[in-house]
Amino acid sequence: MIKNTEMNQFLQELSSNQPTPGGGGASALAGAYGAALGLMVVHLTLGKKKYAAVEETMKAAESRLEELREEFLSLADQDAESFAPLA
């Protein structure tokens, strides 16, 4: 659901009078954005001689941040699926 929705469409749905997506989905999406920003830092660091001492740390961070990004997207979908029957 949310994972396959374009940002503008998500924002339109979020601002509508529909019960989902809601605050939980928006919060989870913010978490996914945070993970993506962390990945940007990792990708700007990897392969640079200046940061060779932290290469392994960055690779581990890359893996974990990718997992978190996917988990947050999944949580956004779970929030919508869980809330829909209550609406």
Side-chain angles (χ1 to χ4, degrees):
M1 272 173 34
I2 290 173
K3 185 176 181 178
N4 298 322
T5 303
E6 291 195 29
M7 184 174 16
N8 191 42
Q9 180 185 349
F10 177 81
L11 292 173
Q12 287 177 339
E13 292 173 7
L14 184 63
S15 64
S16 75
N17 63 352
Q18 300 300 310
T20 59
S27 297
L29 194 55
Y33 278 119
L37 285 169
L39 282 163
M40 179 179 72
V41 171
V42 168
H43 294 143
L44 289 169
T45 304
L46 287 175
K48 303 273 173 60
K49 290 180 186 180
K50 182 177 178 180
Y51 302 112
V54 295
E55 184 90 8
E56 291 307 311
T57 301
M58 290 292 105
K59 287 180 181 178
E62 179 182 34
S63 176
R64 181 65 179 130
L65 287 166
E66 287 173 350
E67 290 171 5
L68 285 170
R69 182 181 57 189
E70 289 302 313
E71 186 176 343
F72 278 123
L73 289 174
S74 177
L75 287 170
D77 282 340
Q78 288 176 36
D79 180 70
E81 291 167 7
S82 298
F83 191 78
L86 303 174

